[in-house]
Amino acid sequence: PEIAPTPVTQDDLERLAYSFNDFGLRLLARVATATSATRSVAVAPVAIASELALILKGAGGTTATTLAQVLHLDGAHGVHVNTIAGALLAELQQADPAASLLIANSLWVDQNFAVAPNFVSLARDQFAAYVGAIDSTASTTASDTINDWIRARTDGKIDKIATASIVNRAALLLISAIY
């Protein structure tokens, strides 16, 4: 029999938001330290934290432990954390009716790379991620495909994220576009 997911409580959302905010502040401090004062850099900590939470689900051993520590998840890296993260992302997009916030998550898998089906389902179901197949050896075509998807999901506000050099020989790409 299938086990029903644990319902997400307000306390769950607040605890994960606190963890993501703490991660985000630490990330922004490091970016500020590493970036020249004459250069502008756009960083979306909630997108990075949510992608790391998804990666955490597919990780094991010291990688999982390290990711949980970085995200301040106190070792809680089961399905419930991903359920809460998905609910938090959905809530953020609906937080203020006067504001428009779109989070477009995607998982791009090289056609020659095997990904566990439960990881793909998790990305699709709990993070509302689009899952697409690419041929990373045809990196220009693959990056064009990814950028076309990004452009369509962001009403043309984000034109380009993927480059051929990033896609070249990549087995899997997790991409979040936020506007």
Side-chain angles (χ1 to χ4, degrees):
E2 192 171 308
I3 299 172
T6 305
V8 176
T9 67
Q10 187 62 33
D11 185 56
D12 291 333
L13 289 172
E14 289 172 6
R15 285 182 27 229
L16 190 64
Y18 176 82
S19 293
F20 278 16
N21 285 340
D22 182 66
F23 166 80
L25 291 171
R26 288 181 288 117
L27 174 66
L28 290 173
R30 286 187 178 229
V31 169
T33 300
T35 305
S36 165
T38 60
R39 191 168 158 218
S40 295
V41 176
V43 179
V46 71
I48 296 168
S50 66
E51 295 292 351
L52 289 174
L54 176 58
I55 293 168
L56 175 62
K57 183 56 184 170
T62 57
T63 301
T65 301
T66 301
L67 284 170
Q69 289 170 347
V70 165
L71 293 171
H72 285 262
L73 296 177
D74 301 323
H77 58 274
V79 173
H80 195 57
V81 167
N82 293 294
T83 302
I84 299 166
L88 180 62
L89 291 176
E91 186 171 294
L92 286 173
Q93 292 180 81
Q94 300 169 5
D96 184 351
S100 175
L101 174 66
L102 175 74
I103 302 171
N105 292 320
S106 57
L107 173 68
W108 300 90
V109 183
D110 182 77
Q111 63 190 11
N112 296 310
F113 184 69
V115 178
N118 63 339
F119 184 76
V120 171
S121 294
L122 178 72
R124 187 180 293 126
D125 299 342
Q126 294 182 354
F127 286 86
Y130 171 79
V131 179
I134 57 170
D135 177 1
S136 64
T137 62
S139 57
T140 299
T141 302
S143 63
D144 288 346
T145 299
I146 294 167
N147 289 325
D148 289 346
W149 184 87
I150 297 284
R151 225 177 344 274
R153 295 312 173 282
T154 62
D155 294 328
K157 303 250 189 303
I158 298 174
D159 187 54
K160 184 177 183 179
I161 289 180
T163 63
S165 62
I166 289 172
V167 173
N168 187 28
R169 292 179 272 149
L172 184 139
L173 296 166
L174 289 172
I175 297 178
S176 265
I178 296 181
Y179 87 95

Short mmCIF file of all heavy atoms in Angstrom, two decimals, residues 13-29 44-50 70-73 88 92:
data_model
loop_
_atom_site.label_atom_id
_atom_site.label_comp_id
_atom_site.label_asym_id
_atom_site.label_seq_id
_atom_site.Cartn_x
_atom_site.Cartn_y
_atom_site.Cartn_z
N LEU A 13 6.54 25.08 7.29
CA LEU A 13 6.89 26.14 6.34
C LEU A 13 7.80 27.19 6.97
O LEU A 13 8.78 27.62 6.37
CB LEU A 13 5.63 26.80 5.79
CG LEU A 13 4.79 25.96 4.83
CD1 LEU A 13 3.47 26.67 4.53
CD2 LEU A 13 5.54 25.64 3.56
N GLU A 14 7.47 27.58 8.19
CA GLU A 14 8.27 28.60 8.87
C GLU A 14 9.68 28.11 9.18
O GLU A 14 10.65 28.85 9.03
CB GLU A 14 7.56 29.06 10.15
CG GLU A 14 6.33 29.90 9.85
CD GLU A 14 5.50 30.22 11.07
OE1 GLU A 14 5.92 29.89 12.21
OE2 GLU A 14 4.41 30.80 10.90
N ARG A 15 9.81 26.85 9.61
CA ARG A 15 11.13 26.31 9.91
C ARG A 15 11.99 26.21 8.66
O ARG A 15 13.18 26.54 8.68
CB ARG A 15 11.01 24.95 10.60
CG ARG A 15 10.57 25.10 12.05
CD ARG A 15 10.45 23.81 12.86
NE ARG A 15 11.28 22.72 12.46
CZ ARG A 15 10.84 21.48 12.27
NH1 ARG A 15 9.58 21.19 12.45
NH2 ARG A 15 11.65 20.52 11.91
N LEU A 16 11.38 25.76 7.55
CA LEU A 16 12.16 25.66 6.32
C LEU A 16 12.48 27.05 5.78
O LEU A 16 13.58 27.29 5.29
CB LEU A 16 11.44 24.83 5.26
CG LEU A 16 12.31 24.51 4.05
CD1 LEU A 16 13.49 23.63 4.45
CD2 LEU A 16 11.50 23.84 2.96
N ALA A 17 11.54 27.99 5.88
CA ALA A 17 11.80 29.36 5.44
C ALA A 17 12.96 29.95 6.24
O ALA A 17 13.84 30.62 5.69
CB ALA A 17 10.54 30.22 5.58
N TYR A 18 12.99 29.68 7.54
CA TYR A 18 14.09 30.15 8.38
C TYR A 18 15.41 29.56 7.89
O TYR A 18 16.42 30.26 7.75
CB TYR A 18 13.86 29.79 9.85
CG TYR A 18 15.02 30.18 10.73
CD1 TYR A 18 15.16 31.49 11.20
CD2 TYR A 18 16.01 29.26 11.05
CE1 TYR A 18 16.24 31.86 11.97
CE2 TYR A 18 17.10 29.62 11.83
CZ TYR A 18 17.20 30.92 12.29
OH TYR A 18 18.29 31.28 13.05
N SER A 19 15.42 28.25 7.61
CA SER A 19 16.64 27.59 7.12
C SER A 19 17.08 28.17 5.79
O SER A 19 18.26 28.47 5.58
CB SER A 19 16.41 26.09 6.97
OG SER A 19 16.20 25.48 8.22
N PHE A 20 16.14 28.36 4.87
CA PHE A 20 16.45 28.92 3.56
C PHE A 20 16.94 30.36 3.70
O PHE A 20 17.87 30.78 3.01
CB PHE A 20 15.25 28.86 2.63
CG PHE A 20 15.05 27.51 1.96
CD1 PHE A 20 15.66 26.36 2.42
CD2 PHE A 20 14.21 27.41 0.87
CE1 PHE A 20 15.46 25.13 1.79
CE2 PHE A 20 14.00 26.18 0.23
CZ PHE A 20 14.63 25.05 0.69
N ASN A 21 16.30 31.14 4.58
CA ASN A 21 16.72 32.53 4.79
C ASN A 21 18.13 32.60 5.36
O ASN A 21 18.96 33.41 4.94
CB ASN A 21 15.76 33.28 5.71
CG ASN A 21 14.46 33.63 5.03
OD1 ASN A 21 14.38 33.66 3.81
ND2 ASN A 21 13.44 33.88 5.82
N ASP A 22 18.42 31.74 6.33
CA ASP A 22 19.75 31.70 6.92
C ASP A 22 20.78 31.35 5.86
O ASP A 22 21.83 31.99 5.74
CB ASP A 22 19.79 30.70 8.08
CG ASP A 22 21.15 30.67 8.74
OD1 ASP A 22 21.53 31.70 9.35
OD2 ASP A 22 21.83 29.63 8.64
N PHE A 23 20.48 30.33 5.05
CA PHE A 23 21.37 29.95 3.95
C PHE A 23 21.55 31.14 3.00
O PHE A 23 22.67 31.45 2.59
CB PHE A 23 20.79 28.75 3.19
CG PHE A 23 21.45 28.52 1.86
CD1 PHE A 23 22.68 27.88 1.79
CD2 PHE A 23 20.85 28.96 0.69
CE1 PHE A 23 23.30 27.68 0.56
CE2 PHE A 23 21.48 28.76 -0.54
CZ PHE A 23 22.69 28.12 -0.60
N GLY A 24 20.45 31.79 2.66
CA GLY A 24 20.50 32.92 1.72
C GLY A 24 21.34 34.07 2.22
O GLY A 24 22.12 34.67 1.45
N LEU A 25 21.22 34.40 3.49
CA LEU A 25 22.02 35.49 4.04
C LEU A 25 23.51 35.15 4.04
O LEU A 25 24.36 35.99 3.72
CB LEU A 25 21.55 35.83 5.45
CG LEU A 25 20.17 36.50 5.52
CD1 LEU A 25 19.69 36.59 6.97
CD2 LEU A 25 20.19 37.86 4.86
N ARG A 26 23.83 33.90 4.38
CA ARG A 26 25.23 33.48 4.35
C ARG A 26 25.76 33.48 2.91
O ARG A 26 26.90 33.91 2.65
CB ARG A 26 25.40 32.11 4.98
CG ARG A 26 25.25 32.15 6.51
CD ARG A 26 25.45 30.79 7.19
NE ARG A 26 24.31 29.91 6.91
CZ ARG A 26 24.39 28.78 6.24
NH1 ARG A 26 25.54 28.32 5.80
NH2 ARG A 26 23.32 28.05 6.03
N LEU A 27 24.93 33.04 1.96
CA LEU A 27 25.32 33.04 0.55
C LEU A 27 25.56 34.47 0.05
O LEU A 27 26.57 34.75 -0.59
CB LEU A 27 24.25 32.36 -0.30
CG LEU A 27 24.47 32.41 -1.81
CD1 LEU A 27 25.71 31.61 -2.21
CD2 LEU A 27 23.23 31.89 -2.54
N LEU A 28 24.63 35.36 0.34
CA LEU A 28 24.76 36.74 -0.11
C LEU A 28 26.00 37.41 0.48
O LEU A 28 26.68 38.20 -0.19
CB LEU A 28 23.51 37.54 0.21
CG LEU A 28 22.27 37.15 -0.61
CD1 LEU A 28 21.04 37.87 -0.09
CD2 LEU A 28 22.48 37.42 -2.09
N ALA A 29 26.32 37.10 1.73
CA ALA A 29 27.53 37.66 2.35
C ALA A 29 28.77 37.19 1.60
O ALA A 29 29.69 37.98 1.34
CB ALA A 29 27.61 37.26 3.82
N ALA A 44 19.56 34.49 -6.53
CA ALA A 44 18.27 34.16 -5.93
C ALA A 44 18.47 33.02 -4.93
O ALA A 44 18.38 31.85 -5.30
CB ALA A 44 17.26 33.77 -7.01
N PRO A 45 18.77 33.37 -3.67
CA PRO A 45 19.06 32.32 -2.69
C PRO A 45 17.97 31.28 -2.52
O PRO A 45 18.27 30.10 -2.33
CB PRO A 45 19.26 33.11 -1.39
CG PRO A 45 19.71 34.45 -1.84
CD PRO A 45 18.95 34.70 -3.12
N VAL A 46 16.69 31.66 -2.61
CA VAL A 46 15.63 30.66 -2.43
C VAL A 46 15.66 29.64 -3.56
O VAL A 46 15.40 28.46 -3.34
CB VAL A 46 14.24 31.32 -2.29
CG1 VAL A 46 13.74 31.91 -3.60
CG2 VAL A 46 13.23 30.31 -1.75
N ALA A 47 16.02 30.07 -4.76
CA ALA A 47 16.12 29.13 -5.87
C ALA A 47 17.28 28.17 -5.64
O ALA A 47 17.15 26.96 -5.85
CB ALA A 47 16.31 29.88 -7.19
N ILE A 48 18.41 28.70 -5.20
CA ILE A 48 19.58 27.86 -4.95
C ILE A 48 19.29 26.89 -3.81
O ILE A 48 19.60 25.69 -3.90
CB ILE A 48 20.81 28.72 -4.66
CG1 ILE A 48 21.17 29.55 -5.91
CG2 ILE A 48 22.00 27.86 -4.23
CD1 ILE A 48 22.18 30.65 -5.66
N ALA A 49 18.67 27.38 -2.75
CA ALA A 49 18.34 26.51 -1.61
C ALA A 49 17.37 25.41 -2.01
O ALA A 49 17.53 24.25 -1.61
CB ALA A 49 17.78 27.34 -0.46
N SER A 50 16.37 25.75 -2.82
CA SER A 50 15.40 24.72 -3.22
C SER A 50 16.05 23.69 -4.14
O SER A 50 15.75 22.49 -4.03
CB SER A 50 14.17 25.35 -3.87
OG SER A 50 14.50 25.96 -5.09
N VAL A 70 24.63 22.55 5.30
CA VAL A 70 24.66 23.84 4.60
C VAL A 70 23.28 24.49 4.62
O VAL A 70 23.16 25.70 4.79
CB VAL A 70 25.15 23.64 3.14
CG1 VAL A 70 24.87 24.85 2.28
CG2 VAL A 70 26.64 23.31 3.14
N LEU A 71 22.24 23.68 4.47
CA LEU A 71 20.87 24.20 4.46
C LEU A 71 20.26 24.29 5.87
O LEU A 71 19.11 24.67 6.02
CB LEU A 71 19.98 23.33 3.57
CG LEU A 71 20.31 23.39 2.09
CD1 LEU A 71 19.51 22.33 1.33
CD2 LEU A 71 20.05 24.77 1.52
N HIS A 72 21.02 23.91 6.88
CA HIS A 72 20.54 23.91 8.28
C HIS A 72 19.27 23.09 8.43
O HIS A 72 18.30 23.52 9.06
CB HIS A 72 20.32 25.34 8.79
CG HIS A 72 21.59 26.05 9.08
ND1 HIS A 72 22.11 26.14 10.34
CD2 HIS A 72 22.47 26.67 8.26
CE1 HIS A 72 23.25 26.81 10.29
NE2 HIS A 72 23.50 27.14 9.04
N LEU A 73 19.30 21.89 7.88
CA LEU A 73 18.13 21.01 7.96
C LEU A 73 18.26 19.97 9.05
O LEU A 73 17.46 19.07 9.14
CB LEU A 73 17.90 20.33 6.60
CG LEU A 73 17.55 21.27 5.46
CD1 LEU A 73 17.42 20.49 4.16
CD2 LEU A 73 16.29 22.05 5.76
N LEU A 88 6.55 25.53 0.06
CA LEU A 88 7.08 26.87 0.30
C LEU A 88 7.23 27.64 -1.01
O LEU A 88 6.84 28.81 -1.10
CB LEU A 88 8.43 26.78 1.02
CG LEU A 88 9.12 28.11 1.33
CD1 LEU A 88 8.27 28.95 2.27
CD2 LEU A 88 10.49 27.85 1.95
N LEU A 92 5.25 31.07 -1.92
CA LEU A 92 5.96 32.30 -2.29
C LEU A 92 5.38 32.92 -3.55
O LEU A 92 5.27 34.14 -3.67
CB LEU A 92 7.45 32.02 -2.49
CG LEU A 92 8.28 31.80 -1.24
CD1 LEU A 92 9.69 31.37 -1.61
CD2 LEU A 92 8.31 33.05 -0.38
#
